[in-house]
Amino acid sequence: MSFVAVIVAAGSSLRAGAGLPKPWRQVGGKTVARWSLEAMLAAGADHVVVVVSDNHQETAIKVLGDLPRWSVVVGGASRPESVVRGLEALATSPETPVLIHDAARPFLTTRHIHSLLEALVDQDGAILALPVTDTLKRGDQTIAANVERAGLWRAQTPQAFRLGEIKAAYAAWPTDAELTDDAQVAAAQGASIALVAGDPRLMKLTYPEDFSMAEALAETRWRSRTGMGVDAHRWGPGDGVWLCGVLIPHDQTLIGHSDADAGLHALTDAILGAIGDGDIGEHFPPSDPQWKGAASDRFLRHAAERVRLRGGRIVNVDVTLICEQPRIRPHRDAMRQRLAELLDLPLDGVSVKATTTEGMGYTGRQEGLLAQAVATVELPA
Ligand code: MG
C-alpha cells in the first residue's frame, strides 16, 4: 500500500540529559532517527519528511544522506507546529495514508506499519497502543485514589491518518490547547480512530537510563537465519553460459527451462530457504511457459523481495560453482558485482568461489555444472 510519513525529530530532549538531542544519539551502533527512517523505507514509504530543529539540519543530512526518498524540514517551537510543517512538505493526494512518528521510538518494524495501514482502510485513523497492565494510583506522596485501569491504553506512535484529513484537523486545532499526540487533533474533528496492538519494544527514549535499555533491545531485535541452495544443470551445445548473472563465452551452454543460471538458482533457493518460503520451483514452476528462457535475475530479485516483505534484510551470500570448465576466476569480480547490485548488498557481503572435483563425478566428467549457495538473512524478532 502506498503511504508517506513524517518523522518528528525536532524536540529539545531536555529530560534525556545534556548533550546531543535524542534523535542524533546512537543506539545499537546507529543514530536513533535512522532506525525509524530505515523502517519506513523498508516498509515501502513513497516519501518521508524528517522534521528537525533549526540547528540540526546539517546533522540530519550527514547521518541520513545515503538513504533514498526522504527530505528534511525545520520544525517549529512546539510539536504541533513541527508536525504541521512536516505535513505541509508532503505533496501527495489528500487520500494518501500518512504515518506520523516520533523519532524517539527507534524500534519500528514493517509489521507495525502494515498493521496501521490495514486498520486505516475502514477507519479515519489508527494508532499503536498498549493496554495498561500496571495498577494505577492517583496521589502525591501518598495514595489519594485508585484509578480503574480497564479500558485504558498507552498511546504510541506511529499514528496513521489520511493526509487531507489530518491537515484539516490541525488547521482547526486551537493553537494554545495542550497536545501530546496527533490522534487528539483528529478526534476533535470527530474522527474514529482504531487502537492497533502496539509493542513494548517501541518504547520512547525519554530518560537517560532508557538508552541502556534500548541498547539491550537493539541486540535482541534481529534473529539470524541461514539457508542453503543447490542446483545442477547439464552441459549442451552452445557458445556461452550464464553464471551468477554474467554471460561467459564458452564452447558449451547449460541446458534448462530458463537461462539455466545454476548459480542464481542455487542462491535464490538459499534465500528462500533462510526465510522458510518454499523453493524456486514453487515460485516459478518450470511447467509455466512464461519462464521459458527467462533471465534468472528476476528469480533472485523475487527472493530478495520476499525477505523485504517480511521486514528482513540479507546479510551476506556465498556461492560456490563446481565445474572443470569454464574458468570462473577471470569472471568472479563481475559476478560479485552483479549479485551485489541485484541484492543491494555491499561487495564484501557477496562471495563467489569456484572449485573442480578433479575429474571425479558428473562435474568431473563435464556432464554438468553444480552450484551451491548459502545465504544469511536477519528477520525482525
Ligand atoms: Mg536450475
Side-chain angles (χ1 to χ4, degrees):
M1 191 190 295
S2 169
F3 74 98
V4 291
V6 173
I7 295 176
V8 187
S12 56
S13 316
L14 295 177
R15 282 173 297 184
L20 220 49
K22 284 183 283 185
W24 312 114
R25 288 173 62 179
Q26 297 267 314
V27 162
K30 207 188 283 190
T31 310
V32 170
R34 191 178 176 97
W35 285 93
S36 300
L37 179 55
E38 281 184 351
M40 292 289 188
L41 296 172
D46 293 329
H47 191 79
V48 183
V49 172
V50 181
V51 188
V52 304
S53 60
D54 200 12
N55 45 350
H56 285 98
Q57 220 173 339
E58 271 175 35
T59 315
I61 291 162
K62 199 174 96 192
V63 166
L64 309 171
D66 59 314
L67 296 172
R69 309 196 306 279
W70 73 280
S71 53
V72 64
V73 161
V74 172
S78 64
R79 188 183 181 282
E81 272 179 63
S82 293
V83 171
V84 167
R85 289 191 192 178
L87 293 171
E88 277 167 359
L90 289 165
T92 40
S93 77
E95 292 76 37
T96 310
V98 57
L99 267 58
I100 304 173
H101 181 57
D102 289 330
R105 299 182 189 272
F107 301 135
L108 183 61
T109 68
T110 298
R111 191 173 51 79
H112 298 135
I113 293 169
H114 287 175
S115 57
L116 283 170
L117 292 173
E118 272 163 36
L120 191 63
V121 171
D122 45 28
Q123 299 280 351
D124 304 321
I127 73 167
L128 293 179
L130 290 168
V132 172
T133 53
D134 294 326
T135 299
L136 296 178
K137 307 287 184 195
R138 192 188 305 281
D140 180 18
Q141 311 283 351
T142 56
I143 298 169
N146 280 298
V147 178
E148 179 59 50
R149 77 179 171 202
L152 290 185
W153 296 76
R154 293 158 53 201
Q156 299 185 311
T157 74
Q159 302 194 341
F161 310 93
R162 272 172 286 274
L163 183 58
E165 287 167 22
I166 190 68
K167 271 186 176 174
Y170 263 106
W173 182 258
T175 46
D176 53 349
E178 279 266 337
L179 182 63
T180 53
D181 79 344
D182 312 291
Q184 293 171 66
V185 179
Q189 299 305 307
S192 100
I193 298 164
L195 292 163
V196 174
D199 187 340
R201 287 166 295 192
L202 206 46
M203 63 184 282
K204 186 176 186 179
L205 303 178
T206 306
Y207 301 104
E209 56 269 30
D210 293 342
F211 276 82
S212 46
M213 207 189 296
E215 279 299 338
L217 271 177
E219 280 187 21
T220 57
R221 199 172 163 269
W222 297 95
R223 59 202 162 99
S224 215
R225 309 271 296 258
T226 300
M228 74 170 293
V230 175
D231 193 37
H233 282 266
R234 187 179 288 278
W235 290 113
D239 52 13
V241 57
W242 283 99
L243 286 170
C244 294
V246 172
L247 181 61
I248 299 176
H250 187 46
D251 57 4
Q252 284 192 300
T253 194
L254 291 173
I255 309 299
H257 187 70
S258 63
D259 64 7
D261 188 329
L264 288 189
H265 295 179
L267 185 50
T268 301
D269 263 355
I271 293 169
L272 292 173
I275 57 170
D277 192 7
D279 63 20
I280 190 171
E282 209 175 304
H283 289 263
F284 302 97
S287 55
D288 188 335
Q290 68 168 313
W291 311 126
K292 189 167 166 51
S296 297
D297 15 351
R298 67 177 303 163
F299 305 153
L300 187 66
R301 280 209 178 94
H302 174 81
E305 175 68 9
R306 301 289 291 187
V307 175
R308 200 184 68 81
L309 287 174
R310 298 271 298 272
R313 56 191 185 194
I314 298 169
V315 178
N316 77 300
V317 298
D318 182 17
V319 181
T320 304
L321 301 172
I322 302 161
C323 58
E324 305 289 326
Q325 292 288 335
R327 284 192 63 226
I328 302 300
R329 191 67 175 271
H331 307 283
R332 209 164 71 168
D333 287 344
M335 290 176 178
R336 286 180 68 205
Q337 247 155 35
R338 182 67 185 137
L339 295 180
E341 191 183 302
L342 287 168
L343 297 173
D344 199 13
L345 277 177
L347 206 53
D348 69 356
V350 178
S351 157
V352 175
K353 312 194 298 305
T355 187
T356 72
T357 48
E358 307 213 342
M360 297 177 287
Y362 66 87
T363 57
R365 291 188 299 272
Q366 300 191 44
E367 293 164 12
L369 175 145
L370 174 66
Q372 299 185 336
V374 177
T376 302
V377 162
E378 285 181 333
L379 293 179

